[in-house]
């Protein structure tokens, strides 16, 4: 029997022996095919003057007309600039927090306190954007918010941060850190658990302190996990979910809060310009792919850790 047929036969035997696992895998595979890969043919309307009556294939080809309209549009600099600034600031300030939190949990001696702190940090991740923004309004509302009530008690003027152009980005980033810090730390906690405890014991014998153990053992031990997570974040640097932004957005802070996702929602869903909004989304996806490839190349050259 040829070697190729032997390999196929052994592969089939392994699949049959693990059929339950493959059946479980079948559900997400079908979901991705039906809801993600199948609709991708609709991308071609970015190059067409789409008319619902004519359908996708019957609509007229217009080439890069919608891309030219977007690049030369009045809102291009604002929405691309806001998207990049928010994501870069979130990466600079938000990315290290889960690492610090995981290292903090690893240094706690009380198991009970560590579990309580861990669970409390996880809870915000499961709250919807509506609840998160509602909590922020309860705190910063100019009339009934706790923060402004304290300011009034101290004789200071109240401030409406939701109407402030300068306050939108810090509020969005800080609330995002609070919401996702505990959940994002799970991978780092798991990576720390995989470090050989003998290394810490040897370091203690050599007289190393806690900070020295963290710097020379913990951080190098999870460096590959940090690199992978950083690469994934770089691949999403042009993505911002529109739900939370829309809930925080109003006419007074729109100059600072208008991002690509909210602009696509406005021109695509509300105004019905499906071809134009598809072109913007395609541009956004291409930018993310390019950024991911560049980040992966740099990580592979510097740290020898990469996605591929």
């Amino acid at each position: 029997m040829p070697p190729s047929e032997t390999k196929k036969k052994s592969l089939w035997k392994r699949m049959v022996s693990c059929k339950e696992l493959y059946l479980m895998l079948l559900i997400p595979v079908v979901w991705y095919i039906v809801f993600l890969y199948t609709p991708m043919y609709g991308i071609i309307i970015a190059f067409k003057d789409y008319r619902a009556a004519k359908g996708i294939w019957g609509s007229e080809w217009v080439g890069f007309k919608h891309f030219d309209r977007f690049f030369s549009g009045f809102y291009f600099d604002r929405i691309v600039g806001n998207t990049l600034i928010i994501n870069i600031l979130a990466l600079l300030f938000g990315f290290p927090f889960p690492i610090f939190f995981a290292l903090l949990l690893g240094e706690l001696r009380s198991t009970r306190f560590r579990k309580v702190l861990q669970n409390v940090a996880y809870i915000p991740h499961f709250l919807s954007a509506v609840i998160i923004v509602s909590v922020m309004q309860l705190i910063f509302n100019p009339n009934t918010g706790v923060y402004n009530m304290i300011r009034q008690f101290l004789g200071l003027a109240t401030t409406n941060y939701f109407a402030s152009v300068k306050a939108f980005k810090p509020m969005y980033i800080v609330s995002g850190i609070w919401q996702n810090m505990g959940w994002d730390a799970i991978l780092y906690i798991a990576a720390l658990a995989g470090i050989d405890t003998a290394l810490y014991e040897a370091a203690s014998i050599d007289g190393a302190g806690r900070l020295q153990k963290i710097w020379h053992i913990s951080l190098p031990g999870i460096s590959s996990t940090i690199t992978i997570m950083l690469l994934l974040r770089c691949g999403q640097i042009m993505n911002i979910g529109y739900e939370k932004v829309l809930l925080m957005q109003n006419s007074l802070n729109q100059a600072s809060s208008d991002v690509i996702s909210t602009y696509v929602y406005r021109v695509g869903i509300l105004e019905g310009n499906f071809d134009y909004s598809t072109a913007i989304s395609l541009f956004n996806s291409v930018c993310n792919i390019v950024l991911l490839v560049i980040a992966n190349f740099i990580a592979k050259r510097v740290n020898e850790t990469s996605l591929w």
Side-chain angles (χ1 to χ4, degrees):
M1 183 178 294
S4 59
E5 293 185 9
T6 304
K7 289 182 179 179
K8 290 180 180 179
K9 193 171 183 179
S10 60
L11 175 62
W12 176 250
K13 286 184 177 179
R14 291 198 301 270
M15 291 179 66
V16 171
S17 63
C18 302
K19 57 182 179 297
E20 293 85 1
L21 296 176
Y22 283 100
L23 287 174
M24 291 177 62
L25 181 65
L26 182 63
I27 297 175
V29 168
V30 171
W31 188 90
Y32 271 94
I33 292 174
V34 173
F35 294 102
L36 292 180
Y37 289 101
T38 302
M40 285 182 67
Y41 81 96
I43 290 175
I44 63 174
I45 69 174
F47 306 94
K48 290 194 168 194
D49 186 12
Y50 177 69
R51 294 292 180 269
K54 296 181 179 179
I56 294 178
W57 296 106
S59 300
E60 179 184 358
W61 285 95
V62 294
F64 293 94
K65 172 186 173 182
H66 302 303
F67 295 93
D68 292 337
R69 175 187 169 188
F70 176 58
F71 296 147
S72 60
F74 175 78
Y75 294 105
F76 176 78
D77 293 337
R78 185 174 81 176
I79 64 176
V80 173
N82 286 335
T83 302
L84 286 174
I85 290 172
I86 291 175
N87 272 322
I88 290 174
L89 290 177
L91 184 63
L92 290 176
F93 295 102
F95 185 77
F97 268 88
I99 302 173
F100 296 152
F101 183 67
L103 294 172
L104 172 64
L105 291 177
E107 293 299 317
L108 293 177
R109 294 291 178 261
S110 175
T111 305
R112 179 176 297 179
F113 180 68
R114 181 169 64 247
K115 289 182 178 180
V116 171
L117 183 60
Q118 212 169 339
N119 290 329
V120 170
Y122 291 163
I123 291 173
H125 176 78
F126 299 98
L127 302 179
S128 66
V130 176
I131 297 177
I132 295 296
V133 176
S134 297
V135 171
M136 295 169 63
Q137 289 176 344
L138 289 174
I139 297 174
F140 295 108
N141 187 284
N143 299 317
T144 59
V146 175
Y147 177 78
N148 281 299
M149 290 176 67
I150 295 174
R151 289 180 64 91
Q152 284 180 337
F153 178 78
L154 297 175
L156 301 175
T158 59
T159 304
N160 187 1
Y161 287 101
F162 279 90
S164 173
V165 173
K166 294 181 179 180
F168 176 83
K169 290 183 177 69
M171 289 174 62
Y172 183 90
I173 293 168
V174 171
S175 62
I177 293 173
W178 170 67
Q179 183 179 9
N180 299 312
M181 179 182 66
W183 182 259
D184 291 343
I186 291 177
L187 286 176
Y188 303 116
I189 294 171
L192 286 170
I195 298 176
D196 190 356
T197 56
L199 296 175
Y200 293 102
E201 295 172 358
S204 298
I205 294 173
D206 292 337
R210 286 191 176 186
L211 292 179
Q212 290 174 319
K213 291 178 185 177
I214 291 173
W215 184 256
H216 295 288
I217 300 176
S218 299
L219 285 176
I222 63 173
S223 60
S224 58
T225 304
I226 294 174
T227 302
I228 296 298
M229 296 303 295
L230 182 60
L231 288 175
L232 294 176
R233 286 290 296 271
C234 289
Q236 298 178 349
I237 206 165
M238 292 289 287
N239 283 345
I240 296 180
Y242 67 90
E243 299 94 343
K244 184 178 172 183
V245 178
L246 281 178
L247 291 168
M248 296 177 61
Q249 190 178 79
N250 54 62
S251 58
L252 298 175
N253 66 13
Q254 194 167 8
S256 180
S257 63
D258 203 14
V259 294
I260 290 178
S261 59
T262 57
Y263 186 65
V264 168
Y265 172 79
R266 189 164 62 250
V267 301
I269 304 300
L270 300 183
E271 299 178 9
N273 295 321
F274 302 112
D275 43 15
Y276 180 50
S277 61
T278 302
I280 300 172
S281 298
L282 181 57
F283 160 77
N284 191 31
S285 300
V286 171
C287 288
N288 282 328
I289 293 173
V290 172
L291 290 171
L292 178 60
V293 171
I294 294 174
N296 187 77
F297 175 78
I298 295 174
K300 193 172 185 179
R301 293 291 298 271
V302 174
N303 198 27
E304 297 183 356
T305 301
S306 61
L307 293 174
W308 61 83

